[in-house]
Amino acid sequence: MTGRPASPQTLAGAEEPVVFVIDDDASMREALSNLFRSVGLRVEVFGSAHEFLQSTLPNVAGCLILDIRLPRLSGLDFQAELAKADIRIPIIFMTGHGDIPMTVRAMKAGAVDFLTKPFRDQDMLDAVTTAIERDRVSRDEARMLSGLHARFATLTPREREVMALVTSGLMNKQIAAEIGIAEITVKIHRGHIMRKMTAKSLPDLVRMAEMLGIGPASGGPQT
């Protein structure tokens, strides 16, 4: 991806993303809420990790602004808990007491940024823009993969076998010899596969097979 990331205003108009803020400091929650709303972003604030977990998360792109020092559960520990629960939301950490080991741990665990208070408003907005775009791309890829799995499920066992062999680079004659069917039957199967998978070309079908993890040995998605 090249060029500057989309502005917060553009992101807000595209899918109405939401910025979650977890900080036990009420004044910080209010300041960040005002900042994000000033650029058209939806924001929800929480005083603790527990409050956040009790809420219902909307199914839209978003990010989490997380204070390192929280009551009961630290921000870093909460990051680990979210990962265990398979809640995959980009995290931007903020702290008034940051140090290098803490920053390294957060970034290695997938944090988008680590901002030390007091930070510039623009630095926070830039980090949020990057995080929301990352989440949007991840969600788009997940939806695409879900659709591929759904279409692959409509294939018959034989069609799945043929798809694996076709996308591995074998020609119709080779596939026919490999699985013991007539070459014309392979062509028919290929036509059904292309239609069911909505593939526009062989390279398109190969790309789908790669996304699904399909190989000639299994004839089905790898887990």
Side-chain angles (χ1 to χ4, degrees), residues 85-221:
D86 201 31
I87 299 176
R88 304 186 180 279
I89 181 170
I91 297 175
I92 299 165
F93 279 105
M94 57 182 179
T95 182
H97 310 278
D99 56 35
I100 292 176
M102 192 181 290
T103 304
V104 170
R105 177 181 167 187
M107 300 304 283
K108 279 188 174 180
V112 174
D113 212 335
F114 195 105
L115 302 177
T116 302
K117 301 174 184 176
F119 44 76
R120 294 172 58 246
D121 287 352
Q122 192 58 52
D123 289 340
M124 175 60 78
L125 292 175
D126 288 346
V128 165
T129 297
T130 298
I132 290 176
E133 184 62 22
R134 178 184 295 185
D135 196 35
R136 175 168 291 127
V137 169
S138 176
R139 286 169 174 274
D140 287 345
E141 290 176 348
R143 280 193 290 267
M144 182 183 299
L145 187 56
S146 177
L148 282 177
H149 277 288
R151 294 198 295 276
F152 185 78
T154 68
L155 301 184
T156 66
R158 178 64 87 186
E159 287 168 349
R160 296 181 188 185
E161 185 179 15
V162 170
M163 178 175 171
L165 294 169
V166 166
T167 55
S168 71
L170 296 185
M171 295 183 294
N172 290 346
K173 182 184 293 186
Q174 294 171 310
I175 295 171
E178 176 78 18
I179 58 180
I181 61 176
E183 186 175 349
I184 185 63
T185 306
V186 174
K187 291 180 180 179
I188 293 172
H189 284 315
R190 285 186 65 154
H192 291 166
I193 293 164
M194 296 293 285
R195 176 178 56 80
K196 290 181 179 181
M197 295 300 296
T198 66
K200 298 177 181 178
S201 63
L202 179 56
D204 194 23
L205 189 66
V206 170
R207 179 183 59 81
M208 292 179 182
E210 290 174 349
M211 291 182 67
L212 289 167
I214 296 172
S218 64

Side-chain angles (χ1 to χ4, degrees), residues 19 21 32-41 43 124-125 128:
V19 181
V21 177
L32 287 173
S33 181
N34 291 336
L35 172 64
F36 297 134
R37 289 192 175 114
S38 73
V39 294
L41 285 170
V43 58
M124 175 60 78
L125 292 175
V128 165

